[in-house]
Amino acid sequence: MSKPPNHIQRTNGLKCTRTAQAPEAMIRFVRGPDGRVVPDLRARLPGRGAWVSARRDVVATAVRKNLFSRAFKGPAPADPDLPDRIAVGLREDLRQAIALANKAGCLVAGFSKVEAAIVGQPRAVAVIHAAEASADGRRKIAAALYRRHGEAMSRIPIIDDLSEDELDMALGRDHVIHAALVAGAGAAGCLSRWRRLRSFEGAAAATGEPDPARIGGIDEASR
């Protein structure tokens, strides 16, 4: 992690570090009324904001080294559980995105419907498993993916970050173990939220994707 740069570059409408990153690759933070650091996951809160790479380890380092105070150029205490609070918020964002995809008609639920979406229409663009899904159920759906896509099945995202209870809440029904996103406008937003959560938890580092791991610059949002 680097010190906040003197020169701040505008990228995609946001002020960030010299290393350009897309907005979804960063998290905005503001100071609350008590001066403490607050995550602004949707970048909507008023006031001065500091941007940090959307990674758990980067946020933890910023907390440990008091880099928020340096970025804000003034006292900005951050709670030790800030990374955990962000993870909870990102999971909630994913759950809401799944609910919206369902309302938009871009989701099917139930083992047989998932299999049908994999091999036919509407075409499955991602598979969703509850965290508690059995190995046998996962294996059978993986087999259906292989029959349809062959080795290219690795390109189909497997979302298994949410519990059965979280999926039940998102879809307004009980015992959701397997579901699938199908092609449509609602699927894109859901996958974007999922990738952000995965990146935050270190999936990008695990796959060797670039990650500058920098604390960003300061923006001046309207107060």
Side-chain angles (χ1 to χ4, degrees), residues 26-81:
M26 304 192 81
I27 295 174
R28 184 175 185 265
F29 295 85
V30 299
R31 283 189 288 190
D34 60 355
R36 303 191 72 82
V37 173
V38 176
D40 180 16
L41 298 181
R42 299 189 181 180
R44 294 176 180 172
L45 295 178
R48 206 180 191 197
W51 294 84
V52 179
S53 294
R55 283 276 304 282
R56 176 185 283 273
D57 57 342
V58 177
V59 175
T61 298
V63 173
R64 186 175 67 254
K65 295 187 176 182
N66 198 29
L67 295 182
F68 288 106
S69 293
R70 193 186 305 175
F72 282 109
K73 298 181 180 179
D79 296 326
D81 68 345

Side-chain angles (χ1 to χ4, degrees), residues 142-221:
L145 286 171
Y146 184 78
R147 289 194 299 271
R148 174 65 178 81
H149 299 284
E151 297 297 332
M153 66 176 283
S154 61
R155 299 177 185 173
I156 304 298
I158 305 296
I159 301 172
D160 59 0
D161 305 83
L162 301 183
S163 67
E164 179 184 347
D165 287 344
E166 288 173 306
L167 290 179
D168 288 352
M169 188 181 303
L171 302 183
R173 54 187 292 182
D174 294 331
H175 308 304
V176 178
I177 303 297
H178 305 288
L181 287 172
V182 298
C190 189
L191 288 173
S192 176
R193 301 286 179 85
W194 172 71
R195 291 188 179 104
R196 195 179 193 204
L197 171 62
R198 294 287 291 168
S199 177
F200 181 76
E201 295 293 10
T207 57
E209 297 174 19
D211 179 25
R214 295 177 180 270
I215 189 165
I218 296 292
D219 67 44
E220 294 286 353

